[in-house]
Amino acid sequence: MTIPFLLRAAAGLALIQCSASALALDPLSYAHPEQVKTSALHLDLKADFAHKILAGYAELSLDWLERGARSLDLDTRSLAISKIEAQDADGRWRKLAYTLAAPDPEKGQALHVAASGQPGKVRIWYHTAPNAPALQWLTPAQTMSGKRPFMFSQSETIDARSWVPLQDTPSVRFTYTARIEAPRGLRVVMSAENDPAATGKDGWRFSMPQPIPSYLLAIAIGELQAKPLGARTGVYAEPQRIQSAAWEFADTEKMVAAAERLYGPYRWGRYDMLVLPPSFPIGGMENPRMNFITPTMIAGDRSLVDLIAHELAHSWSGNLVTNASWKHWWLNEGFTTYVTSRIVEAIYGEDTALENLQLEQEEALALLATLPKEKQALLTRDPDTSSEHYTDQELAYPKGAWFLRTLEQRAGRALFDPFLRGWFDSHAFQSVTTADFVRYLRSSLLDQHPELMTDAELDDWLYGAGIPASARRAVSPRLTALDASRAAWLKGELPTADLGPDWNAAEWMKFLNDVDQQATRAQIEDLDRVFHLSDTGNSEVAFRFYRAAVHAGDQAVRPPLEAFLLRVGRQKFVVPLYAALHARPEDKAWADAVYRKARAHYHPETQASVDRELAR
Ligand SMILES: [Zn+2]
């Protein structure tokens, strides 16, 4: 995804050698995939908007790996189970005994099924809780039309278990099919093959023929229209947003082709995107065949489409080659951040890619300055590491990318690009650990070219704090050119009007990052008067302007800032803005009042993050 949730927990793990590859025990799951693995899932569910529940059954097809195994342990969270059945060899269903363990605040509830034998199929009849963390049920007032309700899921990292009882670990991959009933007039979409011509009569049917990990299970239900963008790309959105979304995403087909030229065929059939209502808490979620995208990326000028490149990049890094447990998160997000910059470069050119890269690295260094040393490594060595001492989730994006970029710069693209493509090809549809990558890195690159990176430096990248001193920083001449203007403007020697009538979004983001906590209130007000930054459609620029304005004590920004906080539910923006307001005694009461109005519009994850921030 683009901006991570805080993982509820992120304990370390032990490694067990299992057949050829290392099968990681996932400390965030109760499943025992070394004994029995789900190979396929079928969902038959009815969406009940009045009660905010999904009800029906999940059918798991099982591969029993251990001869003596007689039980099946599944992950659940707040599910009400009514019946569990197994299918006999003669096709008949018989009831199974089961127990639901006491809830654990992080992991949910273990569902222990006494399988009495090794049945090929098990059916679990259940319904979800109205407050299932993966599902957000929106009232009509929370949608664009204001007429019909909406529901969407966010399963990553460990919330799939709150809407489906399953082995909720990325080390297990399965195919799936589904039949979903929904109220008339609403369309259901899933992270699967979607038929734009379907009507939903007798239920909406889906098929996902490629095996996926559970965190990529996704569903959304609402008043949705579909619009094709290219031969295999399209967009789904609320009717009022479909035109602007299609315009914003016009380059999608080109992006898929560019990514394929770099990293091999797109293996998921269609690439469609769903634009969610504003309460979608993150930038995007790489749900295969149907990426979920925040509406805040519709800037009106295509200036934020690198977010699409990010979600598309996950079709290789993450969805195709998947971290086997969340400890190895950088294999998903660090790789994706690197691949994103390569797609952006291929479509929008070197200058743009370099601007983005410099910003990304500067923001990584700023983030590092706020993190304790033990949260700065890509990976923790200690298998017993608790969540208190875990690699920062956000840092894994730019630091992982910086590591790959360093290898690329030293090896050259002629060597590095086939190397990376080979990683995706040789590990396609597998769940992998950092040890798998290090093995591949040695056998396919470093054994032949040991001068590219010493063992000590590789260790430093994986386990060390900060960014290794040998790493090169990206320098964009266009961003460097801003430095002199910024310094002169801060000193009052350059008129505001001479700043940046032709600056692009990256240039504004760089400028606003650098004047934050430096500019006076008068300067911020002048910036807004000349460039109207408080009502830009680019949410990244708007966010940085509001942050600088709050820090400068500019209360004139309150009306547009309030509208922004009421309109936007993306954690990346709202959490730091409330934090900045709350840190200033003169803004505290105002921030609380805005939050009281806005809270109901936010996703539960966003609510929890803001609650935590305001309680500090
Ligand atoms: Zn991502």
Side-chain angles (χ1 to χ4, degrees):
M1 65 182 126
T2 33
I3 286 301
F5 286 117
L6 296 173
L7 289 184
R8 282 203 178 70
L13 67 157
L15 290 176
I16 300 176
Q17 286 302 321
C18 176
S19 68
S21 72
L23 179 66
L25 270 190
D26 184 343
L28 296 178
S29 169
Y30 290 109
H32 288 284
E34 75 286 2
Q35 298 176 1
V36 53
K37 260 189 173 175
T38 306
S39 60
L41 165 73
H42 177 72
L43 291 172
D44 193 301
L45 297 171
K46 182 174 180 173
D48 177 346
F49 278 83
H51 298 98
K52 300 183 177 177
I53 59 171
L54 294 174
Y57 69 83
E59 183 180 292
L60 305 178
S61 297
L62 301 171
D63 281 343
W64 293 86
L65 304 175
E66 207 176 276
R67 194 195 299 231
R70 289 291 179 273
S71 64
L72 172 67
D73 290 301
L74 299 176
D75 296 297
T76 75
R77 191 190 296 285
S78 315
L79 297 183
I81 314 278
S82 55
K83 180 170 70 171
I84 300 183
E85 299 173 307
Q87 193 173 35
D88 281 331
D90 62 6
R92 267 202 299 234
W93 292 89
R94 66 186 157 86
K95 273 196 187 174
L96 294 181
Y98 62 90
T99 52
L100 207 47
D104 174 273
E106 290 182 335
K107 293 169 68 174
Q109 282 176 286
L111 173 60
H112 183 82
V113 184
S116 72
Q118 299 196 329
K121 283 185 179 176
V122 166
R123 252 185 211 178
I124 300 129
W125 296 80
Y126 70 100
H127 68 79
T128 59
N131 61 350
L135 305 179
Q136 198 179 4
W137 301 84
L138 302 179
T139 62
Q142 292 170 302
T143 67
M144 284 194 94
S145 74
K147 289 186 193 139
R148 302 299 306 273
F150 200 103
M151 184 276 263
F152 65 85
S153 70
Q154 169 58 30
S155 297
E156 193 180 25
T157 44
I158 58 165
D159 282 335
R161 64 191 67 178
S162 74
W163 67 286
V164 183
L166 41 49
Q167 295 180 306
D168 196 8
T169 166
S171 64
V172 173
R173 310 181 77 96
F174 51 85
T175 58
Y176 81 86
T177 52
R179 191 190 75 90
I180 310 288
E181 282 181 50
R184 274 184 58 153
L186 300 185
R187 173 179 284 276
V188 184
V189 296
M190 291 190 82
S191 54
E193 207 173 295
N194 285 266
D195 175 6
T199 61
K201 196 170 174 291
D202 302 322
W204 299 81
R205 286 170 196 277
F206 302 93
S207 167
M208 183 50 156
Q210 291 97 353
I212 58 159
S214 55
Y215 76 89
L216 295 177
L217 268 180
I219 184 170
I221 307 175
E223 216 184 330
L224 290 173
Q225 270 182 11
K227 200 168 163 56
L229 296 170
R232 57 181 162 169
T233 52
V235 62
Y236 291 73
E238 292 172 88
Q240 289 82 351
R241 183 133 41 206
I242 191 75
Q243 293 301 341
S244 60
W247 186 86
E248 199 84 23
F249 299 157
D251 287 338
T252 305
E253 192 81 27
K254 268 195 277 178
M255 281 193 188
V256 180
E260 285 187 312
R261 278 194 293 278
L262 286 164
Y263 303 116
Y266 177 77
R267 303 188 197 219
W268 302 91
R270 284 194 62 84
Y271 179 77
D272 290 325
M273 291 162 289
L274 168 66
V275 182
L276 277 299
S279 62
F280 190 56
I282 54 177
M285 181 62 213
E286 61 269 22
N287 299 316
R289 289 172 180 249
M290 184 66 73
N291 284 183
F292 284 17
I293 304 288
T294 171
T296 64
M297 72 79 60
I298 300 179
D301 59 4
R302 296 182 187 157
S303 56
L304 292 176
V305 287
D306 51 335
L307 192 140
I308 299 297
H310 179 100
E311 304 314 329
L312 170 66
H314 272 303
S315 306
W316 286 264
S317 45
N319 297 6
L320 189 62
V321 182
T322 307
N323 56 202
S325 81
W326 299 107
K327 178 182 179 175
H328 304 280
W329 165 258
W330 78 277
L331 293 174
N332 278 16
E333 297 300 348
F335 276 63
T336 293
T337 304
Y338 172 79
V339 169
T340 302
S341 70
R342 296 296 305 273
I343 296 173
V344 167
E345 183 187 315
I347 301 285
Y348 300 105
E350 270 177 55
D351 287 353
T352 301
L354 195 56
E355 283 185 331
N356 288 0
L357 190 60
Q358 184 183 330
L359 269 176
E360 177 187 305
Q361 293 182 349
E362 284 180 357
E363 294 187 354
L365 294 170
L367 175 62
L368 275 168
T370 68
L371 293 175
K373 285 238 178 320
E374 60 273 16
K375 287 198 169 192
Q376 297 185 1
L378 284 178
L379 197 67
T380 48
R381 259 186 226 280
D382 179 1
D384 299 320
T385 303
S386 75
S387 53
E388 287 303 300
H389 299 286
Y390 189 71
T391 307
D392 182 77
Q393 295 298 307
E394 205 174 325
L395 182 65
Y397 291 65
K399 186 172 177 179
W402 211 333
F403 168 53
L404 295 176
R405 174 75 57 180
T406 300
L407 286 168
E408 176 225 291
Q409 285 167 341
R410 291 181 192 171
R413 289 183 174 179
L415 206 55
F416 188 76
D417 288 358
F419 160 81
L420 191 53
R421 178 175 172 171
W423 166 247
F424 297 134
D425 283 341
S426 59
H427 294 79
F429 298 108
Q430 292 176 31
S431 299
V432 293
T433 64
T434 303
D436 293 324
F437 177 69
V438 169
R439 252 194 308 277
Y440 175 79
L441 173 64
R442 290 194 194 287
S443 66
S444 303
L445 194 65
L446 296 184
D447 286 353
Q448 300 86 333
H449 304 279
E451 73 284 3
L452 294 181
M453 190 171 280
T454 63
D455 287 355
E457 192 186 352
L458 176 57
D459 250 38
D460 196 16
W461 274 108
L462 296 178
Y463 301 107
I467 301 293
S470 54
R472 251 201 276 162
R473 281 182 65 169
V475 179
S476 149
R478 290 175 59 166
L479 292 189
T480 305
L482 302 186
D483 290 345
S485 314
R486 183 193 68 248
W489 179 75
L490 281 171
K491 278 189 269 179
E493 292 165 3
L494 183 74
T496 301
D498 290 354
L499 276 178
D502 53 356
W503 286 355
N504 64 25
E507 285 156 334
W508 274 113
M509 284 156 69
K510 162 76 174 157
F511 178 82
L512 290 168
N513 281 349
D514 290 349
V515 304
D516 183 27
Q517 317 243 35
Q518 309 279 328
T520 64
R521 195 179 79 195
Q523 285 174 317
I524 292 288
E525 285 174 357
D526 208 30
L527 264 189
D528 201 24
R529 196 176 47 76
V530 178
F531 295 109
H532 311 290
L533 296 173
S534 63
D535 49 43
T536 169
N538 185 307
S539 52
E540 294 280 357
V541 172
F543 160 69
R544 285 166 178 78
F545 175 73
Y546 294 136
R547 184 177 60 186
V550 169
H551 284 145
D554 171 19
Q555 298 193 347
V557 82
R558 280 182 176 181
L561 173 56
E562 177 172 352
F564 184 82
L565 289 168
L566 287 169
R567 184 176 72 241
V568 170
R570 200 171 154 191
Q571 290 197 67
K572 175 189 179 183
F573 299 142
V574 303
V575 176
L577 287 173
Y578 282 112
L581 288 163
H582 234 238
R584 298 177 56 83
E586 59 274 43
D587 289 327
K588 203 163 181 285
W590 182 78
D592 287 338
V594 173
Y595 184 49
R596 275 196 295 277
K597 276 189 266 182
R599 192 175 186 280
H601 297 285
Y602 296 158
H603 189 276
E605 290 281 349
T606 310
Q607 292 176 354
S609 299
V610 180
D611 289 349
R612 256 196 315 275
E613 197 55 58
L614 298 191
R616 279 182 187 211

